[in-house]
Every structure is written in C-alpha cells, then in structure tokens.
Amino acid sequence: WIADASLKVDEWYDPTLTLIYLPHLDYALQKFGIDFDKISPSLNEIDALCKQVITYYEGKGAEVLLLSEYGITSVNQPVHINRALRKAGYIQVKDELGLETLDAGTCGAFAVADHQLAHVYVKEAEEIPKVKDLLSGLPGVEKVLDKQAQEAYQLNHDRSGDLVVVADKNSWFTYYYWLDDKVAPDYARTVDIHRKPGYDPVEMFANPDIKFLKGKLGWTLLKKKLGFRYLMDVIPLKAELVKGSHGRIPEDQADWPVLIGAKQAKEKEGVAPTDVYSIIHGLVNRK
C-alpha cells in the first residue's frame, strides 16, 4: 500500500522529490536475522515491488536511488542496560496502579536504547565516569563513548547522551527497566512507540504463550468497535525472540548498507552516511 500510495501521489502532484520506505527486509531481518530460508518470501516480495516502483519512475524520467539506511546482522543476546542501572541505584520509577513507569526526570542515569546503540543520560556530571565503568563491564557491550570520544563518530550532538553505548556484534539493547515482569508497565505488552523509553523490536511478535490468540485479538477489536476501553496486550516480554539488529558498524563490509544508482557513489569507494544528504540534494537541484 505504501508503494501504491506513492505512485498515486506522484500522479496527482508530480513532486520534485519522493522518499519511499519499504519495510519488508527491516521487519523480516529483525525477526529472523540473516536466515534466507525464513526471509526469502520478503526478499521476493520486495524485489517484485522495487521492480514495479523503479519501472514507473524511470518511465517518467526520474533518477532512482535505492538506499538501505543500515545493514542488519544476526544477534543472539539482548542487553538490559536500564536494569543494570537500576540495580546500581540510578533508575527511579513511579508506581501507577501497581505497575512501574520510568521516572526519567528523577533518575540519576537512564538509557534510551535503539537497537545496538543506547544514549545514556546522567544527571550529575561527576557520576559519568562511574556509569561508564559500570556499563563497560556489561556482557555484550563493546564501547562506551563519552562526549569527547563521540566526536570521532560525529555523534557529539547537543542532545546525544552523556554516554553512547555500542553493542558487540552478537548483542542489542532493550529499554527494559523493571526487574519483575509482573510490574512491567501496561505499554510494555502493546505496540506503543511513543511511551516506551527506547525502541522495542519485540513489538513484531505476538506472545506465543497466549492461548487462542486469534480469538483474543478478535474479541479486543470487537470491544474497540463497540466503544469500550481495550488494551491490545499481546506483545511478549521475551527479548530473546529478536534475531537481527543494527547500529554498530558491521565487521564484514558485505553487511554494510548500500546506495545504488548514484553516479557520485560509483566514483569512489564507499559513501559516508553524512554524504547521502548532499548526493540527494545535488540530484534535486540538478533537475
């Protein structure tokens, strides 16, 4: 539907620049990792869809770029940074009807996790070295970058974490901060990207422990249609289900993201992520 909508918008408005996100491989690879037996259906679907979209735009004389923002690799170890911070006394929570909600404003330190990177915000500057030492010792952590070390990776933005944590090749970071699943917040078991303090790829899975899952989903949707309050709480709290992640620079260049179709990219070996904007901007201006 995303592809169809994009073509329809082009027919209506003929925009100068169209950006289209096709999520097939993003979802499949996070679910299964690099397992071609399981991701082949998504590979075939995206191949056919790209052919349709590219053929349409090239027929209109447009220059088409294919860009993967990142290369996803297989992982097998979730790392719970916020739980480690909580055990060390840095995390504060609020009790909401018996469930725990992160109280970021009163935390001594907390992490906002995003796949294989996490931004850690520390309230008191003198605590930064202690937090860095704590996180450096966690299994699955490869690097902990303070503001000075972030400069080499162009991560030293005003809003970046006081520390940026990088996972090793087999690991990724959850946002989980509770120590007992019984007090996990209500949003933990739902698709709720705006309340969770970090990205949650487990949202792609339905809880395998729920009996008669389709019946539960149908009943919940019926309650929605009838105007009753409902909670689509079918997401498991099983981070080990995730088999693919990204964020760190993959060791094998075959796993790096790609930019296909740009003449500027062909003229040199590799393109820095910071070059992508200028490449697109240059093509738009040339048109």
Side-chain angles (χ1 to χ4, degrees), residues 40-58:
S40 287
S42 293
L43 280 168
N44 290 325
E45 287 173 11
I46 194 64
D47 189 59
L49 196 56
C50 282
K51 179 181 179 181
Q52 172 194 346
V53 172
I54 292 169
T55 300
Y56 170 85
Y57 280 104
E58 287 187 340

Side-chain angles (χ1 to χ4, degrees), residues 19 34 83 86 119 138 145 165 177 183 202 207 264:
L19 303 175
I34 304 176
R83 286 178 174 171
R86 181 166 184 181
H119 289 258
L138 291 181
L145 308 173
V165 190
Y177 55 83
V183 294
V202 187
N207 193 339
Q264 298 94 321

